[in-house]
Amino acid sequence: MSLKLYIGNYNYSSWSLRPWLVLRKAELPFEEQVIDLDIPGYKDKLLALTDAGTVPVLQINDDMLPDSLAISEFCAKAVPNLWPTDPKEKAEAQRVTKLMHEGFQALRNEAPMNLRRRTSKPVPQNCLDDAAEMVALWDDLLSRHDGPFLFNDWSIADAFYTPAATRFASYDLPRTARSDTYISELMADPDFQDWEAEAFIETHILPETDKVNQ
Ligand SMILES: N[C@@H](CCC(=O)N[C@@H](CS)C(=O)NCC(=O)O)C(=O)O
């Protein structure tokens, strides 16, 4: 089976980072190709891959699979233990992953992933509300597990919250000591650090994203 993951820019593409981490943890060999976002012609390139017109897209032999969660589920079918093995834990991990896939809109808009960014400028209240809701969710899960991850061992849920964790660091968002430890754990992950290293040498800039909260 040959796998190729089309991704957006390392510094900004939170949706791309998620399945990239899952593929790494699954130890599935894959090629990756960056498509520079927000430049003339970029949308045509995305639409040439799939009708979704977004990245990430996983090419599986000759088939194209868009969407971070669908790609992660594909990996979970191929490789066990990307979800918790206990059925109740798995259902809860899938629920909180879906929550991240569909929600926290204000946090996503007002504090977009921008790995090179470090600022302490105040963010709007709706963003703070999302951040507080996320911290409460993490604290609840971490209090019921031994850690260091949301469901003890690393799972797809942690992949989905990794880009969110970076936003707490980038925008200096309030968090509890327990959540701060979790954020540090995700950001110290060697696979995440490989991705972050690419973001630090990447030269493509998304000016609109860089302007958020300036
Ligand atoms: N629900 C999709 C969202 C993907 C998405 O919005 N990706 C962004 C990059 S992070 C994108 O392709 N943006 C380009 C555009 O919308 O024109 C997923 O989970 O993969």
Side-chain angles (χ1 to χ4, degrees):
M1 180 169 63
S2 101
L3 298 175
K4 180 170 181 176
L5 187 67
Y6 292 88
I7 55 179
N9 296 105
Y10 294 99
N11 190 52
Y12 308 100
S13 186
S14 58
W15 294 114
S16 302
L17 168 58
R18 293 175 169 113
W20 185 93
L21 284 171
V22 174
L23 280 157
R24 275 286 187 102
K25 299 296 178 199
E27 297 183 14
L28 291 167
F30 65 102
E31 254 184 87
E32 63 198 71
Q33 184 170 326
V34 174
I35 297 184
D36 284 336
L37 300 174
D38 290 1
I39 51 168
Y42 89 98
K43 196 69 182 175
D44 290 339
K45 283 191 186 166
L46 298 185
L47 286 166
L49 293 175
T50 73
D51 290 346
T54 56
V55 275
V57 172
L58 183 64
Q59 181 171 359
I60 310 158
N61 299 327
D62 293 330
D63 294 326
M64 295 293 195
L65 178 63
D67 192 80
S68 57
L69 189 50
I71 296 168
S72 300
E73 288 287 13
F74 166 83
C75 296
K77 285 205 173 69
V79 175
N81 300 337
L82 292 173
W83 290 117
T85 41
D86 174 79
K88 263 178 69 181
E89 294 276 286
K90 178 178 176 182
E92 188 166 25
Q94 288 178 319
R95 181 183 68 78
V96 302
T97 299
K98 199 157 170 270
L99 214 58
M100 181 69 252
H101 192 237
E102 292 169 2
F104 299 109
Q105 204 59 56
L107 180 69
R108 272 147 61 175
N109 294 343
E110 306 294 347
M113 190 173 95
N114 191 339
L115 297 177
R116 293 190 294 261
R117 191 85 190 278
R118 289 295 180 270
T119 176
S120 296
K121 266 191 83 177
V123 296
Q125 187 57 45
N126 58 356
C127 179
L128 288 173
D129 293 345
D130 269 3
E133 192 185 322
M134 192 172 286
V135 164
L137 175 83
W138 288 345
D139 281 359
D140 172 49
L141 290 169
L142 294 165
S143 73
R144 290 190 278 120
H145 297 91
D146 295 332
F149 300 109
L150 295 179
F151 295 87
N152 297 337
D153 294 333
W154 191 94
S155 76
I156 290 171
D158 301 294
F160 270 68
Y161 283 100
T162 296
T166 72
R167 292 162 151 110
F168 281 80
S170 287
Y171 300 91
D172 197 17
L173 300 176
R175 64 265 198 181
T176 58
R178 198 195 294 267
S179 279
D180 190 55
T181 303
Y182 175 59
I183 290 164
S184 301
E185 190 73 43
L186 294 181
M187 293 186 68
D189 176 83
D191 292 316
F192 170 74
Q193 292 202 340
D194 284 350
W195 174 284
E196 191 185 37
E198 294 294 337
F200 277 75
I201 54 170
E202 183 174 58
T203 53
H204 185 68
I205 284 176
L206 302 191
E208 292 309 314
T209 307
D210 279 352
K211 267 188 228 152
V212 176
N213 199 40
Q214 287 248 311

